[in-house]
Amino acid sequence: GIQVEQSPPDLILQEGANSTLRCNFSDSVNNLQWFHQNPWGQLINLFYIPSGTKQNGRLSATTVATERYSLLYISSSQTTDSGVYFCAVEADRGSTLGRLYFGRGTQLTVWP
Amino acid sequence: GAGVSQSPSNKVTEKGKDVELRCDPISGHTALYWYRQSLGQGLEFLIYFQGNSAPDKSGLPSDRFSAERTGGSVSTLTIQRTQQEDSAVYLCASSMIARGLFTDTQYFGPGTRLTVL
Protein backbone atom coordinates (compact mmCIF):
# COMPACT_ATOMS: atom_id res chain seq x y z
CA GLY A 1 0.00 0.00 0.00
CA ILE A 2 0.87 3.67 -0.14
CA GLN A 3 3.21 5.04 2.51
CA VAL A 4 2.14 8.31 4.14
CA GLU A 5 4.58 10.31 6.22
CA GLN A 6 3.66 13.39 8.23
CA SER A 7 5.94 15.95 9.79
CA PRO A 8 6.56 17.20 12.32
CA PRO A 9 5.19 14.56 14.71
CA ASP A 10 4.73 17.17 17.44
CA LEU A 11 4.29 20.93 17.29
CA ILE A 12 3.91 23.35 20.19
CA LEU A 13 2.85 26.91 19.46
CA GLN A 14 1.90 30.09 21.22
CA GLU A 15 -1.55 31.39 20.40
CA GLY A 16 -1.41 33.63 17.33
CA ALA A 17 1.51 31.86 15.66
CA ASN A 18 1.41 30.35 12.18
CA SER A 19 2.37 26.79 11.28
CA THR A 20 2.86 24.44 8.34
CA LEU A 21 2.21 20.70 8.48
CA ARG A 22 3.55 18.43 5.76
CA CYS A 23 2.33 15.15 4.26
CA ASN A 24 4.47 13.08 1.86
CA PHE A 25 3.06 10.07 0.03
CA SER A 26 4.75 7.36 -1.97
CA ASP A 27 2.51 6.91 -5.03
CA SER A 28 -0.03 8.75 -7.17
CA VAL A 29 -3.35 9.36 -5.46
CA ASN A 30 -6.95 10.10 -6.32
CA ASN A 31 -8.11 11.28 -2.94
CA LEU A 32 -6.24 13.22 -0.25
CA GLN A 33 -7.95 14.43 2.88
CA TRP A 34 -6.81 16.41 5.90
CA PHE A 35 -8.56 15.74 9.21
CA HIS A 36 -8.46 17.26 12.66
CA GLN A 37 -9.05 14.81 15.50
CA ASN A 38 -10.45 16.69 18.46
CA PRO A 39 -9.86 15.71 22.10
CA TRP A 40 -13.03 13.59 22.03
CA GLY A 41 -11.66 11.50 19.17
CA GLN A 42 -13.93 12.80 16.42
CA LEU A 43 -12.28 13.03 12.99
CA ILE A 44 -13.35 16.32 11.45
CA ASN A 45 -12.93 16.91 7.74
CA LEU A 46 -10.78 19.90 6.91
CA PHE A 47 -10.07 19.50 3.21
CA TYR A 48 -10.61 17.12 0.31
CA ILE A 49 -7.65 18.15 -1.83
CA PRO A 50 -6.13 15.64 -4.27
CA SER A 51 -4.53 18.57 -6.08
CA GLY A 52 -4.44 22.36 -6.04
CA THR A 53 -5.03 24.86 -3.26
CA LYS A 54 -8.01 25.47 -1.02
CA GLN A 55 -8.70 27.89 1.81
CA ASN A 56 -11.21 27.82 4.62
CA GLY A 57 -10.90 30.69 7.08
CA ARG A 58 -7.56 30.50 8.89
CA LEU A 59 -6.73 27.15 7.30
CA SER A 60 -5.47 26.50 3.82
CA ALA A 61 -4.01 23.48 2.04
CA THR A 62 -1.95 22.85 -1.04
CA THR A 63 -1.33 19.51 -2.75
CA VAL A 64 1.35 19.12 -5.41
CA ALA A 65 0.35 15.73 -6.79
CA THR A 66 3.26 15.47 -9.24
CA GLU A 67 5.73 15.83 -6.35
CA ARG A 68 3.65 13.72 -3.96
CA TYR A 69 3.20 16.07 -1.05
CA SER A 70 0.58 18.21 0.62
CA LEU A 71 0.86 21.10 3.05
CA LEU A 72 -1.63 22.31 5.64
CA TYR A 73 -1.24 25.92 6.80
CA ILE A 74 -2.72 27.18 10.04
CA SER A 75 -2.58 30.93 10.56
CA SER A 76 -3.18 32.88 13.78
CA SER A 77 -3.51 29.64 15.75
CA GLN A 78 -5.99 29.36 18.61
CA THR A 79 -6.15 27.00 21.57
CA THR A 80 -9.10 25.27 19.92
CA ASP A 81 -6.79 24.24 17.06
CA SER A 82 -5.07 21.80 19.43
CA GLY A 83 -5.38 18.13 18.57
CA VAL A 84 -4.00 15.66 16.07
CA TYR A 85 -3.96 16.47 12.36
CA PHE A 86 -4.07 13.52 9.99
CA CYS A 87 -3.38 13.28 6.30
CA ALA A 88 -4.99 10.34 4.46
CA VAL A 89 -4.74 9.25 0.82
CA GLU A 90 -6.45 6.84 -1.55
CA ALA A 91 -4.46 5.22 -4.35
CA ASP A 92 -5.60 5.95 -7.89
CA ARG A 93 -5.12 2.40 -9.13
CA GLY A 94 -5.03 -1.22 -8.09
CA SER A 95 -6.98 -3.31 -5.65
CA THR A 96 -6.96 -0.73 -2.86
CA LEU A 97 -9.43 1.70 -4.41
CA GLY A 98 -11.68 3.15 -1.75
CA ARG A 99 -9.52 2.69 1.31
CA LEU A 100 -7.72 5.59 2.93
CA TYR A 101 -4.15 5.19 4.14
CA PHE A 102 -3.41 7.42 7.10
CA GLY A 103 -0.22 9.04 8.28
CA ARG A 104 0.73 8.89 11.95
CA GLY A 105 -0.45 12.45 12.48
CA THR A 106 0.93 15.72 13.85
CA GLN A 107 0.09 16.44 17.49
CA LEU A 108 -0.49 20.21 17.73
CA THR A 109 -0.61 21.96 21.09
CA VAL A 110 -1.47 25.66 21.18
CA TRP A 111 -0.82 27.50 24.45
CA PRO A 112 -2.66 30.70 25.42
CA GLY B 1 -29.36 11.81 9.44
CA ALA B 2 -27.01 14.75 9.45
CA GLY B 3 -23.87 12.71 9.94
CA VAL B 4 -22.52 9.20 10.42
CA SER B 5 -23.71 7.70 13.69
CA GLN B 6 -22.28 4.75 15.59
CA SER B 7 -23.42 2.72 18.55
CA PRO B 8 -22.57 2.00 21.23
CA SER B 9 -20.13 4.83 21.96
CA ASN B 10 -18.33 2.64 24.50
CA LYS B 11 -18.25 -1.11 24.95
CA VAL B 12 -16.49 -3.05 27.67
CA THR B 13 -16.44 -6.80 27.29
CA GLU B 14 -14.66 -9.83 28.65
CA LYS B 15 -12.13 -11.78 26.66
CA GLY B 16 -13.83 -14.51 24.64
CA LYS B 17 -17.20 -12.77 24.27
CA ASP B 18 -18.69 -11.66 20.94
CA VAL B 19 -19.48 -8.00 20.24
CA GLU B 20 -21.49 -6.17 17.58
CA LEU B 21 -20.82 -2.59 16.56
CA ARG B 22 -23.31 -0.62 14.50
CA CYS B 23 -22.91 2.13 11.90
CA ASP B 24 -25.58 4.33 10.29
CA PRO B 25 -24.08 6.12 7.28
CA ILE B 26 -25.12 9.47 5.86
CA SER B 27 -28.34 9.07 3.89
CA GLY B 28 -27.65 8.55 0.18
CA HIS B 29 -24.01 7.57 0.60
CA THR B 30 -23.32 4.39 -1.35
CA ALA B 31 -19.90 3.61 0.12
CA LEU B 32 -19.28 2.57 3.73
CA TYR B 33 -15.97 1.88 5.46
CA TRP B 34 -14.75 0.52 8.76
CA TYR B 35 -11.40 1.55 10.24
CA ARG B 36 -9.88 1.09 13.64
CA GLN B 37 -7.53 3.27 15.64
CA SER B 38 -5.19 1.82 18.20
CA LEU B 39 -2.11 3.20 19.92
CA GLY B 40 0.32 0.82 18.31
CA GLN B 41 -1.11 0.65 14.79
CA GLY B 42 -2.55 4.10 14.18
CA LEU B 43 -5.56 4.32 11.86
CA GLU B 44 -6.00 1.22 9.71
CA PHE B 45 -8.54 0.14 7.13
CA LEU B 46 -10.73 -2.90 7.86
CA ILE B 47 -13.47 -3.29 5.23
CA TYR B 48 -15.18 -1.37 2.42
CA PHE B 49 -18.74 -1.74 1.04
CA GLN B 50 -19.72 -0.13 -2.25
CA GLY B 51 -23.29 -0.48 -3.44
CA ASN B 52 -24.16 -4.07 -4.32
CA SER B 53 -20.57 -5.09 -5.07
CA ALA B 54 -18.77 -7.71 -3.01
CA PRO B 55 -17.08 -5.96 -0.06
CA ASP B 56 -13.33 -5.48 0.11
CA LYS B 57 -12.52 -7.46 3.25
CA SER B 58 -8.76 -7.44 2.80
CA GLY B 59 -8.11 -5.29 5.87
CA LEU B 60 -9.84 -7.57 8.38
CA PRO B 61 -7.12 -8.81 10.78
CA SER B 62 -8.50 -12.30 11.37
CA ASP B 63 -11.46 -14.56 10.64
CA ARG B 64 -12.93 -13.55 13.98
CA PHE B 65 -13.91 -10.27 12.33
CA SER B 66 -16.88 -10.01 9.96
CA ALA B 67 -19.16 -7.26 8.72
CA GLU B 68 -22.39 -6.95 6.83
CA ARG B 69 -24.38 -4.15 5.34
CA THR B 70 -28.13 -4.63 5.14
CA GLY B 71 -30.26 -2.91 2.53
CA GLY B 72 -27.34 -0.80 1.37
CA SER B 73 -27.49 1.29 4.52
CA VAL B 74 -26.79 0.20 8.11
CA SER B 75 -23.68 -1.88 8.76
CA THR B 76 -22.71 -4.16 11.63
CA LEU B 77 -19.14 -5.14 12.48
CA THR B 78 -18.97 -8.35 14.52
CA ILE B 79 -15.96 -9.52 16.48
CA GLN B 80 -16.15 -13.09 17.76
CA ARG B 81 -14.19 -14.44 20.72
CA THR B 82 -12.71 -11.04 21.49
CA GLN B 83 -9.06 -10.77 22.50
CA GLN B 84 -7.30 -8.01 24.42
CA GLU B 85 -5.50 -6.89 21.26
CA ASP B 86 -8.92 -6.08 19.75
CA SER B 87 -9.19 -3.12 22.14
CA ALA B 88 -9.32 -0.01 19.97
CA VAL B 89 -11.63 2.70 18.67
CA TYR B 90 -13.64 1.39 15.73
CA LEU B 91 -14.54 4.12 13.24
CA CYS B 92 -17.10 4.02 10.47
CA ALA B 93 -17.11 6.35 7.47
CA SER B 94 -19.31 6.88 4.44
CA SER B 95 -19.00 8.66 1.12
CA MET B 96 -20.48 9.14 -2.30
CA ILE B 97 -18.68 7.62 -5.24
CA ALA B 98 -17.26 10.18 -7.63
CA ARG B 99 -16.12 9.66 -11.19
CA GLY B 100 -17.18 6.06 -11.51
CA LEU B 101 -14.97 4.21 -9.06
CA PHE B 102 -13.14 6.80 -7.01
CA THR B 103 -14.49 7.92 -3.68
CA ASP B 104 -15.50 11.39 -2.72
CA THR B 105 -14.91 12.87 0.74
CA GLN B 106 -15.13 10.26 3.48
CA TYR B 107 -17.08 11.42 6.55
CA PHE B 108 -16.36 9.71 9.84
CA GLY B 109 -18.60 8.84 12.74
CA PRO B 110 -17.66 9.41 16.40
CA GLY B 111 -16.42 5.84 16.83
CA THR B 112 -17.00 3.01 19.29
CA ARG B 113 -14.36 2.58 21.97
CA LEU B 114 -13.98 -1.16 22.61
CA THR B 115 -12.21 -2.38 25.72
CA VAL B 116 -11.57 -6.09 26.12
CA LEU B 117 -10.73 -7.08 29.69
Side-chain angles (χ1 to χ4, degrees), chain A residues 19-87:
Chain A
S19 61
T20 301
L21 283 58
R22 186 176 180 103
C23 172
N24 293 333
F25 43 95
S26 62
D27 206 343
S28 55
V29 300
N30 166 70
N31 177 1
L32 187 147
Q33 291 184 238
W34 282 98
F35 296 91
H36 175 214
Q37 189 166 44
N38 65 21
W40 297 270
Q42 176 75 54
L43 278 172
I44 299 166
N45 285 287
L46 297 177
F47 295 102
Y48 172 88
I49 187 167
S51 63
T53 297
K54 290 186 178 179
Q55 179 155 8
N56 184 4
R58 296 182 295 104
L59 273 60
S60 63
T62 295
T63 298
V64 184
T66 53
E67 297 187 21
R68 299 182 183 168
Y69 73 89
S70 183
L71 301 174
L72 177 69
Y73 305 97
I74 306 174
S75 64
S76 304
S77 57
Q78 301 175 358
T79 56
T80 52
D81 294 333
S82 295
V84 184
Y85 289 79
F86 287 102
C87 169

Side-chain angles (χ1 to χ4, degrees), chain B residues 47-108:
Chain B
I47 188 169
Y48 163 39
F49 295 90
Q50 162 47 13
N52 295 321
S53 302
D56 175 2
K57 303 179 182 180
S58 58
L60 295 178
S62 78
D63 58 8
R64 296 185 295 105
F65 288 70
S66 63
E68 62 178 22
R69 188 178 185 190
T70 54
S73 181
V74 171
S75 177
T76 303
L77 177 69
T78 301
I79 309 173
Q80 295 179 309
R81 305 181 303 282
T82 52
Q83 304 294 314
Q84 288 182 333
E85 61 263 28
D86 299 334
S87 295
V89 177
Y90 288 81
L91 294 162
C92 177
S94 70
S95 75
M96 296 296 292
I97 295 296
R99 295 188 283 138
L101 290 176
F102 299 134
T103 61
D104 206 329
T105 305
Q106 294 190 24
Y107 295 90
F108 281 76

Side-chain angles (χ1 to χ4, degrees), chain B residues 4 16 19 29 33 38 53 57 103 107 114:
Chain B
V4 178
V19 296
H29 280 189
Y33 316 79
S38 56
S53 302
K57 303 179 182 180
T103 61
Y107 295 90
L114 175 66

Side-chain angles (χ1 to χ4, degrees), chain A residues 94-112:
Chain A
S95 61
T96 62
L97 286 176
R99 72 177 69 180
L100 287 177
Y101 290 89
F102 283 81
R104 302 292 283 190
T106 292
Q107 173 76 58
L108 175 65
T109 303
V110 181
W111 293 99

